[in-house]
Amino acid sequence: MNQPFNHIILFLVAVFLLSSCQSQNVITKNKNDKKITHIYLIGDSTMADYTGNYEPGKDYMKVRYPITGWGQVFQPFFGKDSLKDLSALKDSVKIDDRAHGGRSTRTFFQEGRWRSVYENLKPNDYVIMQFGHNDGSEKHIDRFVNIQGYKEFLRLFVTQTIQKGGKPIIVTPVARNFPWKDGKLENVHGEYWQAPIDIAKEMNVPYIDLNKMSIDFFTKKGQDYVSSHYFMNLPEGVYEAYPKGQKDNTHFQPEGAKVVAQMVFTAFKKIIKTK
């Protein structure tokens, strides 16, 4: 009497174990099938991520902090809640920040930094490009690019992004914290502000006018607040990396980087929702 019953029990246990294994395989497969949209950031120090391997062998907290590029704090804006409203994107977003200090469009290309991005680009990946700070720096001949060269390299990045099925977005250079006149921050980038907009319109690709957005936002916050909270104007004896303090109205502290990243993210959402 017990033998057939035992056989039934063993059979049911075997079925249960097999079913569990199959379910686990399905779960594992679903996890592996997760689709990722890569957003590549190419540009200069204002966009860079100073953590990780930016300076191999050096501790960011000891040699760089609190300097923060806006790309460094861009990833958190692409959480699950945000992606619910961004159906044009895939299951998750990976920010791949390739921006580096002192780079113009020309040097970014010549050093092979663009090639590395191009070779990894997949269809529907995004490339957000923000240059101009170094392109327009005539006193640094190692990085300077005249306005025509600046435009030509932007055309190249856009063209090759599209060739790989990617989606380029051009960004005008973020504002520096000068010059101020009568309580209003003014443009310091000259023609290097308008040139990216011209290329975006010429090539029919979206752009983010970050220079205007940041000028307007910083003006509303006021020079004193922006100087002490957003830019790298640091007192003595507070940060290990800057024992004598710092006067820097180009690069951002974490708070400044976050507000700029928010501007870019807000504009990015509008772009992909209208596409």
Side-chain angles (χ1 to χ4, degrees), residues 49-185:
D49 182 351
Y50 293 93
T51 63
N53 205 39
Y54 185 83
E55 289 184 286
K58 294 185 179 181
D59 185 338
Y60 163 67
M61 296 302 293
K62 292 181 178 180
V63 302
R64 284 282 190 171
Y65 185 80
I67 191 171
T68 309
W70 66 258
Q72 184 173 325
V73 291
F74 202 41
Q75 182 72 63
F77 289 94
F78 294 89
K80 290 183 179 179
D81 291 340
S82 298
L83 292 179
K84 289 178 183 177
D85 300 326
L86 302 175
S87 58
L89 301 179
K90 296 176 182 176
D91 299 328
S92 67
V93 169
K94 169 65 176 174
I95 302 300
D96 192 336
D97 191 346
R98 304 295 185 92
H100 207 85
R103 271 54 185 184
S104 62
T105 51
R106 175 175 61 80
T107 58
F108 195 88
F109 177 80
Q110 289 176 334
E111 292 174 0
R113 296 178 186 276
W114 169 245
R115 180 176 181 177
S116 178
V117 173
Y118 176 77
E119 289 177 346
N120 287 282
L121 265 179
K122 300 291 189 297
N124 296 315
D125 284 344
Y126 287 85
V127 176
I128 299 179
M129 56 194 79
Q130 182 220 274
F131 291 93
H133 280 82
N134 297 299
D135 300 75
S137 183
E138 293 187 28
K139 65 181 181 180
H140 294 106
I141 59 173
D142 58 325
R143 62 186 75 164
F144 171 70
V145 186
N146 66 29
I147 205 71
Q148 294 306 318
Y150 178 47
K151 288 184 173 182
E152 200 58 43
F153 279 108
L154 289 175
R155 287 189 186 99
L156 172 68
F157 298 151
V158 169
T159 298
Q160 293 195 337
T161 297
I162 293 172
Q163 285 175 351
K164 294 294 289 284
K167 300 177 180 181
I169 297 176
I170 299 177
V171 181
T172 62
V174 66
R176 298 181 193 264
N177 190 32
F178 62 87
W180 287 82
K181 184 177 180 181
D182 299 326
K184 185 181 186 304
L185 180 60

Side-chain angles (χ1 to χ4, degrees), residues 170-232:
I170 299 177
V171 181
T172 62
V174 66
R176 298 181 193 264
N177 190 32
F178 62 87
W180 287 82
K181 184 177 180 181
D182 299 326
K184 185 181 186 304
L185 180 60
E186 298 188 335
N187 171 46
V188 75
H189 295 300
E191 293 180 277
Y192 291 81
W193 174 8
Q194 184 60 40
I197 297 174
D198 292 342
I199 296 303
K201 291 180 177 179
E202 172 192 312
M203 304 190 74
N204 194 29
V205 297
Y207 69 90
I208 296 171
D209 193 353
L210 184 57
N211 191 38
K212 183 180 189 309
M213 293 167 67
S214 54
I215 285 174
D216 292 346
F217 187 86
F218 295 162
T219 295
K220 289 179 182 177
K221 297 298 289 188
Q223 183 175 2
D224 290 344
Y225 186 89
V226 168
S227 297
S228 60
H229 289 76
Y230 289 173
F231 286 88
M232 287 282 290

Side-chain angles (χ1 to χ4, degrees), residues 29 45 195 222 230 248 250:
K29 184 179 180 182
S45 57
Y230 289 173
D248 180 350
T250 295

